[in-house]
């Protein structure tokens, strides 16, 4: 089977995140099973137009927003007769492939963005994106099979009347050969790893650190990842006189990310919304408990009171309370860490790849 992926970015993009990891991990396994996989996405500074990564043919065209037009043109002019099935990955807005792709299509949605648009985009782009996702997408994709990553996302998709009863949940996986427990830091270490975008709400964690340092003086916070809000949050850290306690690592490669998870006493994700929160499971696989916002996606990947804790989104005092509880109670940390490790064993990329391939084969043979 030949499979073409339309996705905003590829795994090498400076702002690649969980959405890119999700597709890449499955796609490279499909290649190993003998399938041909292509990937249409946006270019970025100094990126090659084409290259092959893990057997996946990466084709870059257009920029951050232009990719939606140029990907359609690229497909029509060069790829129309070369692929059996198409995966249309919605990262805020889809590629509207029903307008120009005649082969079977699968719509992939990690989560519905709606409110995120108003946090990330300026007027009028925010309203244009809202209209495209909430009004036009349901009209265009009402008969297209849909895949998502969590029950929360499935419920959101149903609200838009997408997918009908044909919404499959395929969870994120974790590589249990790489993400394993390691030696913990000798001093209390809180970590966040992920993109630094507004809706990730890292400012909530930074404000929490102002109080945490008073109650756990030896604590340190490491923030790994890059994004458009990094400079603003670095300024906030200095304003709160926390620059000796909060360290911004910028982009971290996978090996370094694993080492950070292994050393961490607790991983925190204060995001406004997620599809699932793959970093929660990665942290758990390293024996690290997770504290996360009680929001769609994160309430699916974090078992409250078992693998970590949930707190009310944006509630700094609530986050402080949970952090202090974990940092000061070694027995609790150990218990949550062991539970998280067992929880993470339920998820693997091999399993996810098999489930994804099963869905693709069904729509191909339909």
């Amino acid at each position: 089977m030949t499979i073409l992926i339309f996705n905003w970015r590829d795994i090498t993009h400076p702002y690649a995140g969980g959405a890119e990891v999700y597709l890449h991990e499955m796609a490279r396994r499909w290649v190993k099973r003998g399938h041909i996989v292509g990937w249409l996405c946006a270019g970025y500074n100094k990126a090659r137009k084409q290259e092959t990564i893990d057997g996946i043919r990466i084709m870059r065209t257009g920029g951050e927003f232009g990719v939606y037009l140029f990907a359609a043109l690229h497909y029509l002019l060069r790829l129309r007769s070369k692929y059996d099935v198409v995966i249309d990955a919605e990262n805020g807005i889809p590629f509207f492939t029903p307008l120009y792709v005649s082969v079977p299509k699968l719509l992939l949605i990690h989560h519905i963005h709606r409110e995120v648009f108003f946090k990330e985009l300026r007027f009028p782009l925010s309203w244009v994106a809202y209209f495209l996702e909430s009004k036009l997408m349901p009209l265009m994709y009402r008969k297209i099979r849909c895949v998502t990553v969590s029950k929360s996302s499935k419920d959101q998709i149903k609200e838009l009347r997408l997918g009908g009863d044909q919404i499959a949940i395929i969870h994120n996986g974790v590589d249990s050969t790489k993400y394993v427990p390691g030696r913990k830091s000798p001093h209390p270490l809180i970590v966040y790893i992920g993109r630094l975008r507004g809706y990730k709400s890292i400012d909530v964690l930074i404000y929490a650190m102002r109080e945490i340092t008073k109650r756990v003086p030896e604590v340190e916070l490491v923030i790994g990842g890059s994004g458009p809000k990094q400079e603003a949050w670095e300024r906030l850290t200095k304003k709160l006189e926390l620059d000796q306690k909060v360290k911004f690592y910028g982009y971290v490669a996978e090996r370094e990310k694993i080492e950070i998870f292994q050393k961490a006493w607790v991983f925190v994700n204060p995001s406004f919304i997620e599809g699932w929160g793959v970093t929660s499971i990665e942290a758990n696989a390293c024996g690290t408990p997770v504290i996360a916002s009680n929001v769609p996606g994160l309430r699916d990947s974090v078992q409250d009171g078992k693998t970590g804790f949930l707190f009310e989104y944006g509630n700094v005092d609530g986050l402080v309370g949970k952090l202090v509880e974990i940092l000061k109670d070694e027995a609790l940390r150990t218990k949550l860490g062991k539970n998280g490790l067992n929880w993470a064993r339920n998820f693997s990329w091999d399993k996810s790849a098999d489930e994804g391939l099963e869905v693709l084969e069904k729509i191909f043979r339909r």
Side-chain angles (χ1 to χ4, degrees), residues 198-216:
Y199 77 93
K200 298 294 186 177
S201 306
I202 306 306
D203 53 326
V204 174
L205 178 54
I206 294 171
Y207 278 114
M209 276 295 289
R210 182 169 54 178
E211 179 62 27
I212 297 276
T213 54
K214 297 175 185 176
R215 298 164 70 173
V216 187

Side-chain angles (χ1 to χ4, degrees), residues 311-329:
F311 73 99
E312 181 186 7
Y313 169 73
N315 187 327
V316 173
D317 291 339
L319 175 56
V320 168
K322 298 299 184 184
L323 276 169
V324 170
E325 185 176 357
I326 284 182
L327 293 176
K328 288 193 171 185
D329 191 334

